[in-house]
Amino acid sequence: MAEALIGLDLVEMQAAVDGVAGGRVPAYRAKQVYDAVYRQRVTNLSQISTLPKQLRAGLAAGPGLGLPQTVQRFDSADGTRRYLLRLADGRTVETVLMQEADRHTFCISSQVGCPVNCRFCLTALMGLERNLTAGEMVGQVLVVAADNRLPADVGKLNVVMMGQGEPLLNLDNVLKATRLLVDPDGVGLSERRLTLSTSGIIPKIKELGRHSIRPKLAISLNASTEEQRRELMPITRKYHLKDLLDACKAYPLRPWERLTFEYVLLKAVNDTGDDARRVVRLLAHLKCKVNLIALNPGPGIPYETPDAERVASFQAIVRRSIPCFVRKPRGRDIYAACGQLKRMEGSF
Ligand code: SAH
Ligand code: SF4
């Protein structure tokens, strides 16, 4: 079967349209399809009424649109929605939409499962099933935007690649998805509103920095010493914390950009005043901010959530030197919060 339309760039779209028509089709036709898929966000090819019927039918019978299908939607009391989406091969993946007054944030997955074995993360328990294609990443945004009737010109639309998976282990597809998401003729998001988060795959951080169109970079720090990080994030044995921070120092930030460091607070493990002071020392020379996340608990996770006062005092220490925010837990009641994406079904 030909590749689905979602995920194709304009050149590939032209080839797909030519393929269906059995010969060269004028370029404006491919542009019409591209526009309908990404800008108008059609959910069915029959909605592209500007196309000749035959071509429309050929596209539907051939490559197809390729939107993931919603298996189940979980609505949190705080307005967060978690989607369980089915891909073409029957595998499922999760996407979360967080809504605030004037701001929508899509948390999308980059892989089915994750091969990085962080000890506090539920997704780790799945292992890696496979990488997502660029179309499957863009498709998550399109399907959830359509379900929530978000208009194409909605202003503050953010995408964070912080769902299932380690985006830097699927970099080519992540970059292609990024180009489609920020293309003004495509989905049309602002490049400043796209962020990927990594556990610290150093060579890929360097590679990311060489691309001109790329998401902002967030690093999951999660520890204040080399030893502690090795314990919590075994990938540190391969990519040492010291080298990770060197890569951050050398990272070519755009003028408007700064790094984000995420830090999951685990009760009595990495949440002490000494930890906070060490975090400040580690990051002192970087243009960055810190986001603290109190652990979202889950079955099989051998850690506890620190008390609110501990979180506040950790923040107070870091904030003296570095902008530091506490991330509100969103959608914990429906297993939609950070580190809780493990395809939980049933009702919450
Ligand atoms: N794999 C990437 C992106 C997905 S994880 C990464 O690790 O950065 C997104 C964020 O959720 C990371 O910062 C991670 O440290 C955090 N996280 C993982 N498990 C968590 C949990 N149980 N509670 C709170 N945050 C968690
Ligand atoms: Fe993978 Fe990120 Fe979870 Fe670590 S925290 S296991 S890198 S999804």
Side-chain angles (χ1 to χ4, degrees), residues 221-229 232 241 245 263 269-272 274-282 314:
L221 180 64
N222 296 342
S224 68
T225 68
E226 195 79 51
E227 298 69 41
Q228 195 184 55
R229 196 169 194 270
L232 300 173
L241 177 57
L245 293 168
Y263 194 99
V269 174
N270 67 356
D271 65 345
T272 66
D274 284 344
D275 285 301
R277 282 180 281 276
R278 281 193 292 262
V279 166
V280 168
R281 279 202 294 278
L282 290 176
F314 196 102

Side-chain angles (χ1 to χ4, degrees), residues 114 116-118 120-121 123-124 163 165-166 199:
C114 182
V116 182
N117 216 355
C118 304
F120 43 80
C121 175
T123 309
E166 167 49 61
S199 57

Side-chain angles (χ1 to χ4, degrees), residues 117-133:
N117 216 355
C118 304
R119 302 260 321 271
F120 43 80
C121 175
L122 274 182
T123 309
L125 301 177
M126 294 174 65
L128 175 69
E129 295 188 17
R130 70 167 170 87
N131 281 337
L132 295 185
T133 64

Side-chain angles (χ1 to χ4, degrees), residues 191-262:
E191 204 176 350
R192 300 179 186 210
R193 295 190 172 277
L194 216 69
T195 304
L196 75 71
S197 171
T198 180
S199 57
I201 315 292
I202 296 171
K204 295 291 176 180
I205 291 175
K206 294 181 181 161
E207 192 180 329
L208 180 70
R210 291 195 286 269
H211 288 267
S212 55
I213 298 181
R214 55 178 150 93
K216 291 189 291 183
L217 179 60
I219 313 268
S220 296
L221 180 64
N222 296 342
S224 68
T225 68
E226 195 79 51
E227 298 69 41
Q228 195 184 55
R229 196 169 194 270
R230 228 180 284 148
E231 182 61 33
L232 300 173
M233 302 178 74
I235 190 139
T236 310
R237 293 187 200 138
K238 187 161 180 194
Y239 301 119
H240 301 171
L241 177 57
K242 181 185 171 303
D243 299 335
L244 175 59
L245 293 168
D246 286 346
C248 290
K249 215 165 284 174
Y251 190 75
L253 289 170
R254 291 159 286 191
W256 45 268
E257 189 177 7
R258 61 181 167 173
L259 295 168
T260 300
F261 287 91
E262 292 151 295

Side-chain angles (χ1 to χ4, degrees), residues 72 74 82-84 92 94 122 125-126 164 297-300 334-336 339-348:
Q72 214 173 344
F74 306 90
R82 176 167 69 95
Y83 288 81
L84 186 68
T92 53
E94 291 167 300
L122 274 182
L125 301 177
M126 294 174 65
Q164 286 182 12
I334 54 162
Y335 274 83
Q340 293 192 312
L341 299 185
K342 198 200 163 205
R343 228 191 256 152
M344 302 271 217
E345 296 187 42
S347 50
F348 292 90

Side-chain angles (χ1 to χ4, degrees), residues 68-113:
Q69 302 297 313
T70 301
V71 179
Q72 214 173 344
R73 187 182 92 188
F74 306 90
D75 291 357
S76 164
D78 67 18
T80 300
R81 290 181 162 164
R82 176 167 69 95
Y83 288 81
L84 186 68
L85 302 177
R86 185 181 297 112
L87 309 169
D89 67 350
R91 290 183 199 266
T92 53
V93 84
E94 291 167 300
T95 307
V96 177
L97 175 66
M98 290 160 280
Q99 320 196 55
E100 273 157 294
D102 62 339
R103 203 163 68 149
H104 303 271
T105 302
F106 295 79
C107 178
I108 67 171
S109 296
S110 56
Q111 299 181 309
V112 185

